[in-house]
Amino acid sequence: MTIKTAFCAASALALATAGGAFADSHTTTLTIATVNNGDMVRMQGLTEDFTAKNPDIALEWVTLEENVLRQRVTQDIAANGGQFDVMTIGTYEVPIWGAQDWLVSLNDLPAEWDADDILPAMRGGLTVDGELYAAPFYGESSMVMYRKDLMEAAGMEMPDAPTWDDIKAAAEAMTDKDAEVYGICLRGKAGWGENMAFLSAMANSYGARWFDEEWKPQFDTDAWNATLTDYLELMNNYGPPGASTNGFNENLSLFQQGKCGMWIDATVAASFVTNPQDSTVADQVGFALAPDNGLGKRGNWLWAWSLAIPAGSDSVDAAKKFVAWATSKEYTALVAENEGWANVPPGTRTSLYENEAYTSAAPFAEMTLNSINSADPKNPAVDPVPYTGVQFVAIPEFAGIATQVGQEFSAALAGQQTAEEALEKAQALTTDEMEAAGY
Amino acid sequence: MATKASRSAARLMMAPAVVLLLGWMLVPLCMTLYFSFKKYLPLRGGDLGWVGFDNYVRFFSSSAFWPSVQATLVIVGGVLAITVVFGILLAILLDQPMWGQGIVRILVIAPFFVMPTVSALVWKNMFMDPVNGLFAHLWKFFGATPVEWLSQASMTSLIIIVAWQWLPFATLILLTAIQSLDSEQLEAAEMDGAPALSRFGYITLPHLSRAITVVVLIQTIFLLSIFAEIFVTTQGSFGTRTLTYLVYQRVLESQNVGLGSAGGIFAVILANIIAIFLMRIVGKNLDA
């Protein structure tokens, strides 16, 4: 190599490096991990609005199915991989990860983001020791969806805030097994996010809880016995066949086909069962709050898909700008302008429910808001608990434990064991796992 | 004839491939072994130090261990029995001259191309669903109460689903074997007055023994790690939690990598015991 060529090569290299550095100083690329739900996919379509306002920030999307996303972000955050700058996570992860200092505090988001506008229940679920660790993108609770025509035919009326006795009476009146109409459809499929989400929320309204303040499992209490016994009776007498393998999707399909008199599940389902293109009973659906037992707690849950910034991110400021944009009032208005008010992400801000354009476009808006507001993740049960979470317990071991407990309850629903046997096994396996985890 | 130098050169050139292949196989196995001796909880701070054989003892002594081994063996045994028996019958049937033979063969083989998740979903929602399923309608047509397949007969249902997927594989291998059977031998036996059943028992079946061995060995290897069908249909409930599913639950749902890795090593040991056992009993056929 002559001196001349060496010089040329060195100059080229220097230019390239300088060019790279120059480019770096002007553009930050954010890698965003998100779930492939409709609202999130819509957000990707609208990001031009963000990049136009922030020309120095480029966005890279990693869109994954819920379970895969959960595994990927969990691995990344636990190993401090720094692969993502913004993560979509649920209310289960936020308290655990926040307590481990794995997430960046969002207390200093700009004033116009208006943190006070976030629904108190949502803020409570995403806050650890006074620090907000994630911004809710959309939120949900659960409520009763019922067939108005069947109730009318039975000569009954569903109160806005029913008790479990009301539900039992309505289920009995609406059941017509010969016509394949079942009074009530509930989740029976085993899983911490399936039957246990419903049963944990139901147990709250019966005065039961997962753990006492010393973290001792509570399945040996009368309250849990009453919860499971009533659930099994409801399902065995008025539920559809094969309920022990029915989850959210199966019940949605049954309800849309007109085979369920009632369905107690996520508020997000309201728009699916009232959509005439998918539902044969779209114009006959009524809504009510999840039932209670007069003990001060309702059997509804609370969930939010939220955006959080992992502590390992090296573009925290840019990430905060993005999170503030995606969860702002302006973003909601942007979606409304492009897709109509019925399609805005629900369940996170008070101002949305004060907006007439929205409340008139979504007939289930009021009930959704009331359901969300009646859930308190800090005090989910009648008695005090040491954990955060309404339909889950925000500790790392919960997913594993609850899925196994869910399998015992599912087996009880299938008639393979009694409620007492299922509770006994649940108590034993939870005690074992908690001891092994060092509680 | 290769010289000493050319042999060395050949070894040198092969070395990268050998190292790569060995690494590919050994690294995951060694990592599993390494983690199985550690208390590794990703959501509780990650690596919490060495624990010796604690994970093995906990996995082995947990109430879920033996039922999961039993479930694994029942599924493998059930599917093998169905696929071998029906595989032989179908192979004999498909070997007969008939109109549209090519199309029939393709149709019989088709299930093998369906992804396990898809086939499990189809079976669960379209056939076995107690309200909307085809079987439910069939049962109701005859005035019977529909069977709640996945909860009341969970193991049988799973075996049916998996066997449906693997039957084409067995049929294909056995059909190839049947086609290589010397027809003159069968004709001679027929002329000597041997009835059909004897011809099958004394000529066809012994001829098929090597193919059956191949089917049993290959299927066993794949069936031991069956997962998608359980995940989609029962999620391990109603006694369908196999060893693979238990390992999945320990690692991903309970976020306990150490305990799950110990389970993984148990699964490897179990697979090897079964493989050795099978090789001894049926593998002899392969020597002939």
Side-chain angles (χ1 to χ4, degrees):
Chain A
M1 190 190 287
T2 63
I3 291 177
K4 201 176 161 188
T5 32
F7 180 73
C8 284
S11 314
L13 192 70
L15 268 174
T17 321
F22 184 74
D24 276 348
S25 70
H26 279 78
T27 311
T28 311
T29 303
L30 291 179
T31 310
I32 303 163
T34 185
V35 65
N36 62 351
N37 292 355
D39 289 282
M40 306 287 181
V41 173
R42 192 172 291 132
M43 169 166 64
Q44 291 177 43
L46 296 170
T47 41
E48 241 177 52
D49 180 77
F50 175 76
T51 43
K53 286 175 188 159
N54 299 278
D56 55 336
I57 302 175
L59 303 179
E60 203 178 284
W61 294 91
V62 179
T63 311
L64 300 163
E65 189 268 325
E66 183 176 333
N67 288 330
V68 183
L69 172 87
R70 190 167 275 130
Q71 285 163 21
R72 281 278 298 275
V73 296
T74 305
Q75 277 162 14
D76 188 58
I77 199 134
N80 201 11
Q83 212 181 339
F84 305 111
D85 299 300
V86 177
M87 291 172 164
T88 308
I89 52 180
T91 30
Y92 172 57
E93 286 89 4
V94 178
I96 302 172
W97 296 5
Q100 302 254 29
D101 286 331
W102 285 349
L103 302 174
V104 173
S105 163
L106 299 180
N107 273 9
D108 58 347
L109 285 186
E112 61 267 23
W113 184 69
D114 198 0
D116 294 334
D117 188 38
I118 304 288
L119 294 169
M122 291 297 165
R123 268 177 79 177
L126 304 173
T127 303
V128 184
D129 297 330
E131 301 280 337
L132 183 72
Y133 280 108
F137 183 72
Y138 74 83
E140 64 169 41
S141 181
S142 58
M143 61 183 174
V144 181
M145 289 162 272
Y146 66 94
R147 288 272 300 280
K148 289 192 275 193
D149 54 337
L150 292 180
M151 284 298 275
E152 206 179 299
M156 297 178 81
E157 204 170 313
M158 177 67 78
D160 276 348
T163 63
W164 282 105
D165 286 335
D166 293 329
I167 296 293
K168 275 180 224 166
E172 188 179 359
M174 287 193 276
T175 301
D176 180 1
K177 289 191 178 176
D178 293 335
E180 287 193 343
V181 175
Y182 306 98
I184 188 160
C185 296
L186 299 173
R187 295 184 184 193
K189 186 191 211 170
W192 76 270
E194 285 283 3
N195 64 344
M196 289 318 292
F198 175 79
L199 275 162
S200 299
M202 180 178 175
N204 290 335
S205 68
Y206 272 73
R209 53 188 171 163
W210 265 86
F211 301 102
D212 70 4
E213 285 171 293
E214 270 73 55
W215 288 101
K216 194 179 166 303
Q218 297 293 299
F219 290 107
D220 52 359
T221 56
D222 291 342
W224 260 109
N225 196 314
T227 309
L228 191 60
T229 309
D230 276 9
Y231 166 81
L232 294 178
E233 260 177 33
L234 262 176
M235 293 307 283
N236 289 335
N237 294 338
Y238 318 118
S244 53
T245 51
N246 287 352
F248 174 83
N249 286 321
E250 288 81 2
N251 284 329
L252 172 64
S253 160
L254 285 172
F255 196 93
Q256 285 178 332
Q257 292 170 45
K259 296 193 172 178
C260 302
M262 272 180 295
W263 180 29
I264 306 176
D265 215 300
T267 49
V268 72
S271 65
F272 306 144
V273 294
T274 52
N275 181 349
Q277 278 174 338
D278 301 322
S279 174
T280 56
V281 294
D283 54 347
Q284 294 297 342
V285 188
F287 303 99
L289 287 178
D292 71 351
N293 248 354
L295 298 172
K297 290 286 173 194
R298 296 206 158 268
N300 57 311
W301 65 65
L302 189 75
W303 184 258
W305 276 116
S306 315
L307 300 177
I309 305 168
S313 165
D314 46 16
S315 315
V316 171
D317 290 334
K320 277 185 183 169
K321 277 187 194 167
F322 175 79
V323 170
W325 171 81
T327 57
S328 65
K329 287 182 240 179
E330 288 72 31
Y331 174 79
T332 310
L334 181 72
V335 178
E337 191 185 311
N338 284 284
E339 317 264 347
W341 276 104
N343 290 315
V344 303
T348 63
R349 286 183 173 272
T350 313
S351 56
L352 180 67
Y353 292 91
E354 287 163 356
N355 184 335
E356 257 183 50
Y358 177 67
T359 47
S360 57
F364 41 83
E366 190 194 342
M367 209 47 84
T368 302
L369 178 69
N370 291 341
S371 297
I372 289 174
N373 280 340
S374 68
D376 180 359
K378 297 270 182 207
N379 301 293
V382 175
D383 295 324
V385 296
Y387 52 84
T388 308
V390 180
Q391 78 281 23
F392 55 80
V393 177
I395 56 170
E397 292 75 19
F398 179 77
I401 297 174
T403 298
Q404 292 181 64
V405 172
Q407 287 175 347
E408 298 303 338
F409 290 175
S410 200
L413 181 55
Q416 291 173 349
Q417 57 187 356
T418 63
E420 283 73 24
E421 282 166 343
L423 287 167
E424 217 169 277
K425 287 182 190 169
Q427 177 75 5
L429 77 89
T430 311
T431 309
D432 282 354
E433 296 270 340
M434 291 301 277
E435 272 171 16
Y439 279 90
Chain B
M1 200 178 87
T3 62
K4 209 173 170 184
S6 71
R7 269 205 302 271
S8 310
R11 276 194 202 119
L12 201 70
M13 281 186 267
M14 269 173 7
V18 173
V19 170
L20 190 74
L21 274 174
L22 265 181
W24 194 0
M25 287 185 278
L26 284 180
V27 169
L29 189 66
C30 291
M31 281 181 76
T32 313
L33 207 59
Y34 170 79
F35 281 123
S36 70
F37 293 109
K38 298 216 115 187
K39 184 170 186 173
Y40 193 89
L41 306 168
L43 293 178
R44 288 217 171 270
D47 193 346
L48 302 174
W50 297 96
V51 289
F53 283 92
D54 273 12
N55 286 328
Y56 288 90
V57 173
R58 251 192 86 197
F59 196 90
F60 191 73
S61 60
S62 90
S63 57
F65 179 72
W66 283 111
S68 73
V69 171
Q70 195 191 344
T72 312
L73 296 179
V74 169
I75 288 188
V76 173
V79 175
L80 281 179
I82 291 178
T83 49
V84 169
V85 171
F86 284 91
I88 293 172
L89 294 179
L90 267 175
I92 293 171
L93 203 68
L94 288 176
D95 192 39
Q96 308 301 316
M98 63 173 127
W99 187 79
Q101 197 180 42
I103 293 172
V104 173
R105 281 183 187 172
I106 288 172
L107 284 178
V108 170
I109 295 162
F112 201 52
F113 301 117
V114 182
M115 281 180 277
T117 319
V118 178
S119 100
L121 272 174
V122 167
W123 274 91
K124 176 177 183 271
N125 295 331
M126 294 175 69
F127 293 100
M128 291 171 167
D129 188 280
V131 178
N132 294 314
L134 196 69
F135 293 160
H137 288 298
L138 205 66
W139 258 246
K140 275 183 266 183
F141 181 76
F142 289 107
T145 316
V147 178
E148 294 178 18
W149 287 91
L150 290 168
S151 52
Q152 286 174 350
S154 45
M155 238 6 174
T156 316
S157 311
L158 263 177
I159 291 172
I160 292 174
I161 295 172
V162 180
W164 177 80
Q165 271 181 286
W166 281 93
L167 187 57
F169 172 79
T171 310
L172 206 63
I173 304 263
L174 294 166
L175 178 64
T176 325
I178 278 191
Q179 284 175 337
S180 71
L181 180 59
D182 187 0
S183 59
E184 282 176 17
Q185 212 179 348
L186 280 175
E187 278 164 25
E190 201 175 347
M191 281 166 73
D192 285 347
L197 215 58
S198 300
R199 272 178 287 159
F200 174 76
Y202 289 106
I203 301 174
T204 313
L205 208 55
H207 177 77
L208 284 179
S209 62
R210 200 185 287 191
I212 293 173
T213 309
V214 171
V215 169
V216 170
L217 278 177
I218 294 181
Q219 284 198 170
T220 307
I221 294 165
F222 284 95
L223 293 175
L224 279 171
S225 60
I226 191 156
F227 179 80
E229 292 82 351
I230 304 172
F231 185 77
V232 171
T233 52
T234 60
Q235 313 244 301
S237 319
F238 320 122
T240 58
R241 184 163 50 183
T242 58
L243 202 50
T244 324
Y245 204 88
L246 187 65
V247 171
Y248 159 79
Q249 271 196 344
R250 294 296 183 251
V251 176
L252 285 165
E253 283 179 0
S254 302
Q255 287 287 325
N256 193 333
V257 177
L259 190 63
S261 300
I265 299 294
F266 270 124
V268 170
I269 295 170
L270 177 77
N272 275 292
I273 291 174
I274 292 174
I276 292 167
F277 186 68
L278 278 175
M279 290 298 253
R280 291 235 160 166
I281 294 179
V282 289
K284 278 181 288 187
N285 286 326
L286 292 174
D287 298 336

